[in-house]
Amino acid sequence: MCGIVGYVGSRDGVPIVLEGLQRLEYRGYDSGGIAVAGASALRVHKAKGRIADLKSSLPKRIKGSPAIGHTRWATHGAPTDVNAHPHVDFSERFAVVHNGIIENAPQIKARLEADGITPVSETDTELVAHLIGQAAADHEDPVEALRSALSHVEGAYGLAVVDAQHPDRIMVARLGSPIVLGLGDREMYVASDVGAIVRHTKQVVHLEDGEIALLEADGFTTSTLDARPVQKISERVDFDAEDFDMGEHQHFLRKEIGEQPEAVERTISGRLDERFSTIKLGGLNLHPNELRSFKRVYILGCGSAYYSGEVGAQLIEELARIPATAEAASEFRYRNPVIDPDGLYIAVSQSGETADTLAAVEELTRKGARVLGVVNQVGSAIARATDGGIYIHAGPEVSVASSKSFTSTCVAFAMLAVHLGRIRDLSPADGDRLITALRELPAKIAAVLEQEEKIIEAAGWLSQFENAMFIGRVRGWPIAREAAQKIKEVAYMHAEAYQSAELKHGPLALIDAQMPVVAVVPDDELHEKQRSTLHEIRARSGPILAISHHELPTELAERTIVVPRTEPELEPILLNIPLQLLAYHAAKALDRDIDKPRNLAKSVTVE
């Protein structure tokens, strides 16, 4: 949940690192720092706050190469100058930046203090720096010192280390937290996310868990923690630096909501098979006979990925007639689940690095389950750890709140459901119907976006309240959950989501004139029952904003946002779009920090 950037080469690395940190600020933004190794001395500068604060306070003497930097989202210790990375060992020879959590930090700290080393910060990262410093007394090769230090560490880490005695290299290591190497022309880069370095190189190498790399200007070498050499093959990234720019928009979230027609177009591109009325998903790496053999589907994700999994589970049950459920990955492995030998497990993650979801994948793999991934980031940890899957190709998503990746993931599940259904009992006519609807989705999303002025007015009205309730039934239920999360994330409004029919079983006690209700009310088989729920709310003076396929009468809802019709199975995808804009404009009306909401970070790479 933090950002790492490093550079080694003939140029001044400081501007390169600072630029990369700004691109990673969505991953952590409560403090930052930079370290340069040169002339047998380290130069380190750290500052609480955003990267802009770090840049404005940076001394002119901080320049050169190699350089490493970090933008932090606090886990151990408050966001302060002292707790900011990089951290330096007791000999002031090594500087370390670190993503992840050291689980045996108390034991390491006790050991260091027994050896007369007193940490100055509250962080677990500083302890790693001291371990490297201690190990260097016994190992002339600093890579061996790093390897020795890490043998005492339990937990997750992505590390970059510079050494004042070797000011021509960067050492990096990975275990459970992403690290990518960038290959340049007699220069090398390291980052926790390729977006930080894509302006400088498109050739990258992903480190695997348990690997160490030594970077020098003219290349790199990789090995395992037990010193076995590893050969790596570089990959080319498929997006540009401009994808990480805000362009004409005030916030990345609004830009990314507006990019959804193009994102969905990429998700479906090349996958709609009109000839056989089905979907082509070669990345599943499963023969149709294998897919027919699964008796149940289990979907795991966190946050918005979990809610998209709920949409997916409904689609799979409805179209493929396979029992399917979605569950929070953060809970899955801790409840000692019974692994279904006839089940297909699907892990969902925009970043492909979500720690809780990755841990669930590893637990499933250990127990012999078949696991697929639905991810956005090519080459990510979950993509590499699963047996196959679907890349959603939504493009880079910078804002902490998910928008286009949520929508594209729902589209990916719709395609998977059609694919599974056509292998089973879904008719060619239904396959054709859904393929046509999928092809029309981008234009219909664009039509929803054109209603922004009406949504702005509704958001201004909603932002006057302190609380809100979101309701939906069946297909609308996961959309209500996702919408409630969005309004909490970016507008800091207290919001809850309930199944519409459950209001009368308790939550109806909360309804009064100060409890607005946002109701997802499609024109489906449950529409009349939904109207009954709206009458119950209005009878208790509850104000209602409806998301529906036609304008509701004012006795049911003061405001209605009308969404174009599509095939019933795909309606949740369109119903969610105005709710994204609603959260965005409510946050804007309340003057929130929309792209970097307090206490949150984009890629949750710690448990």
Side-chain angles (χ1 to χ4, degrees):
M1 297 175 73
C2 310
I4 288 173
V5 186
Y7 169 83
V8 57
S10 59
R11 292 189 284 166
D12 180 5
V14 172
I16 296 168
V17 169
L18 289 174
E19 176 201 36
L21 292 178
Q22 286 189 304
R23 291 185 178 277
L24 294 189
E25 202 167 18
Y26 66 96
R27 297 182 67 123
Y29 39 86
D30 57 32
S31 59
I34 193 166
V36 177
S40 299
L42 296 174
R43 285 162 286 172
V44 179
H45 182 71
K46 308 190 289 186
K48 176 185 174 182
R50 302 290 171 86
I51 299 303
D53 300 310
L54 176 68
K55 289 177 69 174
S56 65
S57 63
L58 195 68
K60 291 183 179 180
R61 65 181 178 81
I62 302 286
K63 60 176 59 177
S65 167
I68 56 173
H70 192 265
T71 180
R72 182 173 184 250
W73 186 89
T75 53
H76 284 67
T80 64
D81 291 357
V82 172
N83 287 335
H85 301 209
H87 289 282
V88 177
D89 77 301
F90 60 92
S91 67
E92 299 187 354
R93 173 182 168 182
F94 297 97
V96 177
V97 293
H98 165 229
N99 289 348
I101 290 181
I102 307 304
E103 294 175 355
N104 62 333
Q107 292 82 4
I108 295 173
K109 183 179 180 183
R111 171 187 157 185
L112 289 170
E113 289 176 338
D115 292 339
I117 299 171
T118 303
V120 298
S121 74
E122 302 170 88
T123 70
D124 52 352
T125 302
E126 184 189 351
L127 307 178
V128 177
H130 292 311
L131 287 178
I132 299 170
Q134 280 189 320
D138 300 318
H139 298 278
E140 184 176 343
D141 182 352
V143 175
E144 290 304 316
L146 174 61
R147 188 174 279 119
S148 175
L150 293 179
S151 69
H152 300 287
V153 170
E154 298 173 8
Y157 53 77
L159 292 170
V161 185
V162 290
D163 177 1
Q165 293 187 15
H166 294 274
D168 58 351
R169 60 183 66 174
I170 299 174
M171 299 181 293
V172 298
R174 172 190 172 138
L175 185 65
S177 191
I179 288 290
V180 61
L181 314 181
L183 285 61
D185 182 9
R186 294 193 59 78
E187 55 188 5
M188 290 288 297
Y189 307 84
V190 60
S192 51
D193 188 308
V194 71
I197 56 178
V198 71
R199 185 178 296 278
H200 304 285
T201 179
K202 291 196 171 185
Q203 291 298 129
V204 301
V205 169
H206 294 274
L207 281 195
E208 301 285 352
D209 279 351
E211 291 182 347
I212 291 174
L214 176 66
L215 280 61
E216 298 175 292
D218 57 358
F220 70 99
T221 57
T222 49
S223 59
T224 63
L225 286 172
D226 56 2
R228 288 182 290 110
V230 177
Q231 297 299 316
K232 308 293 289 187
I233 299 174
S234 67
E235 305 171 15
R236 182 173 175 82
V237 298
D238 60 355
F239 46 80
D240 299 313
E242 290 71 26
D243 294 327
F244 292 86
D245 292 334
M246 204 179 299
E248 63 184 14
H249 297 281
Q250 189 177 353
H251 301 98
F252 277 107
L253 180 56
R254 179 59 188 85
K255 172 179 180 279
E256 288 156 5
I257 291 172
E259 289 173 341
Q260 289 179 115
E262 295 80 12
V264 170
E265 193 72 58
R266 287 193 298 273
T267 303
I268 65 175
S269 180
R271 289 166 162 167
L272 307 185
D273 185 353
E274 284 91 350
R275 180 183 177 188
F276 294 106
S277 307
T278 189
I279 304 292
K280 295 182 289 188
L281 296 173
L284 299 182
N285 299 327
L286 289 169
H287 189 273
N289 286 337
E290 292 179 278
L291 288 170
R292 272 196 298 268
S293 71
F294 294 116
K295 294 182 171 60
R296 194 173 186 93
V297 176
Y298 304 85
I299 303 172
L300 303 173
C302 297
S304 293
Y306 167 35
Y307 302 140
S308 70
E310 290 190 317
V311 174
Q314 289 187 11
L315 283 162
I316 290 167
E317 284 206 345
E318 194 165 4
L319 297 177
R321 307 309 297 158
I322 308 172
T325 56
E327 181 176 352
S330 54
E331 294 294 308
F332 173 77
R333 70 188 180 109
Y334 289 108
R335 63 175 180 79
N336 193 24
V338 176
I339 305 304
D340 185 350
D342 297 317
L344 176 64
Y345 291 82
I346 303 174
V348 188
S349 169
Q350 185 281 137
S351 67
E353 306 285 353
T354 308
D356 287 316
T357 308
L358 179 58
V361 169
E362 291 168 343
E363 179 74 5
L364 286 165
T365 302
R366 278 193 294 270
K367 294 181 176 179
R370 199 61 177 264
V371 189
L372 300 179
V374 177
V375 300
N376 192 29
Q377 294 290 342
V378 175
S380 58
I382 290 173
R384 297 196 303 277
T386 49
D387 300 305
I390 305 171
Y391 284 119
I392 65 173
H393 299 302
E397 191 173 70
V398 175
S399 181
V400 166
S402 173
S403 57
K404 63 180 180 178
S405 65
F406 176 85
T407 298
S408 288
T409 300
C410 292
V411 171
F413 273 121
M415 292 192 298
L416 177 61
V418 173
H419 181 74
L420 292 172
R422 290 290 292 122
I423 289 170
R424 292 168 177 257
D425 299 321
L426 189 70
S427 69
D430 278 331
D432 287 337
R433 173 178 65 84
L434 291 159
I435 286 172
T436 299
L438 284 166
R439 195 175 296 286
E440 293 172 349
L441 268 182
K444 291 187 175 182
I445 291 172
V448 176
L449 296 174
E450 290 174 0
Q451 298 189 59
E452 187 162 11
E453 287 304 316
K454 186 172 185 178
I455 297 170
I456 290 171
E457 187 276 331
W461 165 79
L462 186 64
S463 68
Q464 299 175 59
F465 297 92
E466 293 184 359
N467 306 285
M469 191 176 292
F470 290 75
I471 62 171
R473 291 197 75 169
V474 188
R475 296 189 188 106
W477 163 233
I479 298 307
R481 298 189 74 186
E482 167 66 7
Q485 172 153 310
K486 279 291 169 293
I487 209 85
K488 285 182 274 195
E489 281 181 312
V490 298
Y492 310 159
M493 287 180 61
H494 174 252
E496 300 295 339
Y498 291 97
Q499 294 105 325
S500 303
E502 286 297 301
L503 285 189
K504 58 184 176 288
H505 297 294
L508 201 61
L510 297 173
I511 298 298
D512 60 18
Q514 296 304 310
M515 177 63 77
V517 176
V518 180
V520 182
V521 192
D523 284 347
D524 59 13
E525 65 277 10
L526 294 171
H527 185 79
E528 288 304 316
K529 294 185 182 297
Q530 291 269 60
R531 290 171 72 98
S532 297
T533 300
L534 299 186
H535 278 299
E536 292 170 1
I537 295 168
R538 297 297 290 133
R540 291 154 180 83
S541 302
I544 297 175
L545 166 65
I547 312 297
S548 190
H549 293 124
H550 66 271
E551 195 80 29
L552 296 187
T554 54
E555 64 265 23
L556 287 181
E558 290 93 330
R559 292 166 173 79
T560 304
I561 298 171
V562 178
V563 176
R565 295 300 305 262
T566 183
E567 293 301 325
E569 298 91 341
L570 303 184
E571 282 173 350
I573 297 169
L574 287 179
L575 291 166
N576 180 62
I577 306 299
L579 293 166
Q580 294 177 344
L581 283 172
L582 185 74
Y584 170 75
H585 285 292
K588 193 173 178 183
L590 293 166
D591 196 27
R592 306 305 193 202
D593 193 346
I594 292 173
D595 287 329
K596 302 180 182 71
R598 68 188 181 199
N599 304 332
L600 301 177
K602 182 67 175 177
S603 301
V604 187
T605 56
V606 296
E607 290 191 55

Coordinates of all heavy atoms in Angstrom, one line a residue, residues 4-34:
I4 N 7.2 2.4 -4.3 CA 8.7 2.4 -4.4 C 9.1 2.8 -5.8 O 8.5 2.3 -6.8 CB 9.2 1.0 -4.1 CG1 9.1 0.7 -2.6 CG2 10.7 0.8 -4.5 CD1 9.4 -0.8 -2.2
V5 N 10.2 3.6 -5.9 CA 10.8 3.9 -7.2 C 12.3 4.0 -7.0 O 12.7 4.5 -6.0 CB 10.3 5.3 -7.7 CG1 10.8 5.5 -9.2 CG2 8.7 5.3 -7.8
G6 N 13.0 3.5 -7.9 CA 14.5 3.6 -7.9 C 15.1 3.7 -9.3 O 14.5 3.3 -10.3
Y7 N 16.3 4.3 -9.3 CA 17.0 4.5 -10.6 C 18.5 4.4 -10.4 O 19.0 4.9 -9.4 CB 16.7 5.9 -11.2 CG 17.6 6.3 -12.4 CD1 17.3 5.9 -13.6 CD2 18.7 7.1 -12.2 CE1 18.1 6.2 -14.7 CE2 19.6 7.4 -13.2 CZ 19.3 6.9 -14.5 OH 20.1 7.2 -15.6
V8 N 19.2 3.7 -11.3 CA 20.6 3.7 -11.4 C 21.0 3.9 -12.8 O 20.6 3.2 -13.7 CB 21.2 2.4 -10.8 CG1 20.7 1.1 -11.5 CG2 22.7 2.4 -10.8
G9 N 21.9 4.8 -13.0 CA 22.4 5.1 -14.4 C 23.2 6.4 -14.4 O 23.6 6.9 -13.3
S10 N 23.5 7.0 -15.5 CA 24.3 8.2 -15.6 C 23.6 9.5 -15.4 O 24.2 10.5 -15.2 CB 25.0 8.2 -17.0 OG 24.0 8.3 -18.0
R11 N 22.3 9.5 -15.3 CA 21.5 10.7 -15.1 C 21.3 11.0 -13.6 O 21.5 10.1 -12.8 CB 20.2 10.6 -15.8 CG 20.2 10.6 -17.3 CD 18.9 10.7 -17.9 NE 18.1 9.5 -17.9 CZ 16.8 9.4 -18.1 NH1 16.1 10.5 -18.3 NH2 16.1 8.3 -18.0
D12 N 20.9 12.2 -13.3 CA 20.5 12.5 -12.0 C 19.2 11.7 -11.7 O 18.2 11.9 -12.4 CB 20.2 14.0 -11.8 CG 19.8 14.4 -10.4 OD1 19.8 13.5 -9.5 OD2 19.5 15.6 -10.2
G13 N 19.2 10.8 -10.7 CA 18.1 10.0 -10.4 C 16.9 10.7 -9.7 O 15.8 10.2 -9.6
V14 N 17.2 11.8 -9.0 CA 16.2 12.4 -8.1 C 15.0 12.8 -8.9 O 13.9 12.5 -8.5 CB 16.9 13.6 -7.3 CG1 15.8 14.3 -6.6 CG2 17.9 13.0 -6.4
P15 N 15.1 13.6 -10.0 CA 13.8 14.0 -10.7 C 13.1 12.8 -11.2 O 11.8 12.8 -11.2 CB 14.4 14.8 -11.9 CG 15.7 15.3 -11.5 CD 16.3 14.2 -10.6
I16 N 13.8 11.7 -11.6 CA 13.1 10.5 -12.1 C 12.3 9.8 -11.0 O 11.2 9.4 -11.1 CB 14.2 9.6 -12.7 CG1 14.8 10.2 -13.9 CG2 13.5 8.2 -13.0 CD1 16.0 9.4 -14.4
V17 N 13.0 9.7 -9.8 CA 12.3 9.1 -8.7 C 11.1 9.9 -8.2 O 10.1 9.4 -7.9 CB 13.3 8.9 -7.5 CG1 12.6 8.5 -6.3 CG2 14.4 7.8 -7.9
L18 N 11.3 11.2 -8.1 CA 10.2 12.1 -7.6 C 9.0 12.0 -8.6 O 7.9 12.0 -8.2 CB 10.7 13.5 -7.5 CG 11.6 13.8 -6.3 CD1 12.2 15.2 -6.4 CD2 11.0 13.5 -5.0
E19 N 9.3 12.0 -9.9 CA 8.2 11.9 -10.9 C 7.5 10.6 -10.7 O 6.2 10.5 -10.7 CB 8.8 12.0 -12.3 CG 7.7 11.8 -13.4 CD 8.3 11.4 -14.7 OE1 9.3 10.7 -14.7 OE2 7.7 11.8 -15.7
G20 N 8.2 9.5 -10.5 CA 7.6 8.2 -10.3 C 6.8 8.2 -9.0 O 5.7 7.6 -9.0
L21 N 7.3 8.8 -8.0 CA 6.6 8.8 -6.7 C 5.2 9.5 -6.9 O 4.2 9.1 -6.3 CB 7.4 9.4 -5.6 CG 8.6 8.6 -5.2 CD1 9.4 9.4 -4.1 CD2 8.2 7.2 -4.6
Q22 N 5.2 10.6 -7.6 CA 4.0 11.3 -7.8 C 3.0 10.4 -8.6 O 1.8 10.5 -8.3 CB 4.2 12.6 -8.6 CG 4.9 13.7 -7.7 CD 4.9 15.0 -8.4 OE1 5.4 15.2 -9.5 NE2 4.4 16.0 -7.7
R23 N 3.5 9.6 -9.5 CA 2.6 8.7 -10.2 C 2.0 7.6 -9.3 O 1.0 7.0 -9.6 CB 3.3 8.1 -11.4 CG 3.5 9.1 -12.5 CD 4.1 8.5 -13.8 NE 4.3 9.5 -14.8 CZ 3.4 10.0 -15.6 NH1 2.2 9.4 -15.5 NH2 3.6 10.9 -16.5
L24 N 2.8 7.3 -8.3 CA 2.4 6.2 -7.3 C 1.7 6.8 -6.1 O 1.4 6.0 -5.2 CB 3.6 5.4 -6.9 CG 4.3 4.6 -8.0 CD1 5.3 3.6 -7.3 CD2 3.3 3.7 -8.8
E25 N 1.4 8.0 -6.1 CA 0.9 8.6 -4.8 C -0.4 8.1 -4.5 O -0.8 8.1 -3.3 CB 0.9 10.2 -4.9 CG 0.9 10.8 -3.6 CD 1.1 12.3 -3.7 OE1 1.0 12.9 -4.8 OE2 1.5 13.0 -2.7
Y26 N -1.2 7.5 -5.5 CA -2.5 6.9 -5.1 C -2.3 5.7 -4.3 O -3.2 5.2 -3.7 CB -3.2 6.6 -6.4 CG -2.6 5.5 -7.3 CD1 -3.0 4.2 -7.2 CD2 -1.5 5.8 -8.2 CE1 -2.4 3.2 -8.0 CE2 -1.0 4.8 -9.0 CZ -1.4 3.5 -8.9 OH -0.8 2.6 -9.7
R27 N -1.1 5.1 -4.2 CA -0.8 3.9 -3.4 C -0.4 4.3 -2.0 O -0.4 3.4 -1.1 CB 0.3 3.1 -4.0 CG -0.1 2.6 -5.4 CD 1.0 1.7 -6.0 NE 1.2 0.5 -5.2 CZ 1.1 -0.7 -5.7 NH1 0.9 -0.9 -7.0 NH2 1.3 -1.8 -5.0
G28 N -0.1 5.5 -1.7 CA 0.3 5.9 -0.4 C 0.6 7.4 -0.4 O 1.4 7.8 -1.2
Y29 N 0.1 8.1 0.5 CA 0.3 9.6 0.4 C 0.3 10.3 1.7 O -0.2 11.4 1.8 CB -0.8 10.2 -0.5 CG -2.2 9.6 -0.3 CD1 -3.0 10.1 0.7 CD2 -2.6 8.5 -1.1 CE1 -4.3 9.5 0.9 CE2 -3.9 8.0 -0.9 CZ -4.7 8.5 0.1 OH -5.9 7.9 0.3
D30 N 0.8 9.7 2.8 CA 0.9 10.4 4.0 C 2.3 10.9 4.4 O 2.5 11.7 5.3 CB 0.3 9.6 5.2 CG 0.9 8.2 5.4 OD1 2.2 8.1 5.2 OD2 0.2 7.3 5.9
S31 N 3.3 10.4 3.6 CA 4.7 10.8 3.8 C 5.5 10.3 2.7 O 5.1 9.4 2.0 CB 5.3 10.4 5.2 OG 5.3 9.0 5.3
G32 N 6.7 10.8 2.5 CA 7.6 10.3 1.4 C 9.0 10.7 1.7 O 9.4 11.4 2.7
G33 N 9.9 10.1 0.9 CA 11.3 10.3 1.1 C 12.2 9.8 0.0 O 11.7 9.1 -0.9
I34 N 13.4 10.2 0.0 CA 14.4 9.8 -1.1 C 15.7 9.7 -0.5 O 16.1 10.4 0.5 CB 14.3 10.9 -2.2 CG1 15.0 10.3 -3.5 CG2 14.9 12.2 -1.8 CD1 14.7 11.2 -4.7

